[in-house]
Amino acid sequence: LSSSSAASDVYKRQVLTGAWEGKVAGGCSPPGYAARNPTFTISCTERTRLFMRLMAHEKEPVNVSLFQLPPASSGGTARASELPVLSTFPGCPTTITTSHDAIFTASRCGVTTPMADLTTGTYAVVLACYNAGVESGFTLTVYSSRSMEIRRIL
């Protein structure tokens, strides 16, 4: 992972790349969509503000969502049993923020989450294409007010 200051701003920038392919090209259908898509954990050791931008390398409808994980996940370790309960659908109590109010959007510019205020703890970031089986590369850029550890778990 690389980290640098965002141009003319106080936010740190971390750029992560990967792909939807094989077992992690699960689409958006619940239940358990999070366990079938690229997933990262973010470990916050202090209050942090962040927003994220996701770009698919192919023009596909995509979404990026941030969820708070239970305290047992401290240290950035998420259990597979925690991921299936995550949902981008309105009303999911663990959803912190999602791009375009959980609507999957196909845009050459990608999708961006609103600014989120995070407390200390561990969070899951789930990247999903609308359709299952879509194989495409992605670039996720995380802008945060503090340094934090980001790890890919799926």
Side-chain angles (χ1 to χ4, degrees), residues 5 8 14 44 57 100 127 136 141:
S5 291
S8 71
Q14 294 188 56
C44 293
H57 298 177
H100 296 272
L127 315 180
S136 173
T141 306

Side-chain angles (χ1 to χ4, degrees), residues 20 54-63 104-111 128-131 134-138:
W20 290 280
L54 173 64
M55 294 181 64
H57 298 177
E58 303 295 326
K59 190 175 177 188
E60 292 292 335
V62 296
N63 178 272
F104 283 73
T105 306
S107 168
R108 294 210 183 273
C109 298
V111 295
C129 286
Y130 184 77
N131 295 306
V134 169
E135 297 202 351
S136 173
F138 65 77

Side-chain angles (χ1 to χ4, degrees), residues 1 12 14 42-45 48-50 118 142-150:
L1 303 178
K12 309 225 180 286
Q14 294 188 56
I42 294 178
S43 297
C44 293
T45 58
T48 303
R49 295 190 62 156
L50 71 71
L118 307 183
V142 179
Y143 297 91
S144 61
S145 61
R146 305 267 191 260
S147 295
M148 58 188 157
E149 180 183 341
I150 303 176

Side-chain angles (χ1 to χ4, degrees), residues 14-130:
Q14 294 188 56
V15 178
L16 305 113
T17 58
W20 290 280
E21 57 190 358
K23 293 181 182 179
V24 289
C28 71
S29 297
Y33 99 104
R36 298 186 314 265
N37 284 291
T39 302
F40 296 84
T41 57
I42 294 178
S43 297
C44 293
T45 58
E46 57 187 319
R47 293 184 72 84
T48 303
R49 295 190 62 156
L50 71 71
F51 66 96
M52 298 175 286
R53 180 177 178 175
L54 173 64
M55 294 181 64
H57 298 177
E58 303 295 326
K59 190 175 177 188
E60 292 292 335
V62 296
N63 178 272
V64 55
S65 295
L66 177 70
F67 303 94
Q68 187 164 21
L69 294 176
S73 300
S74 294
T77 303
R79 297 184 306 269
S81 62
E82 293 169 336
L83 296 178
V85 302
L86 305 178
S87 171
T88 61
F89 296 100
C92 180
T94 59
T95 304
I96 302 299
T97 189
T98 186
S99 57
H100 296 272
D101 294 324
I103 296 171
F104 283 73
T105 306
S107 168
R108 294 210 183 273
C109 298
V111 295
T112 305
T113 66
M115 184 70 70
D117 291 307
L118 307 183
T119 58
T120 58
T122 304
Y123 299 81
V125 178
V126 180
L127 315 180
C129 286
Y130 184 77

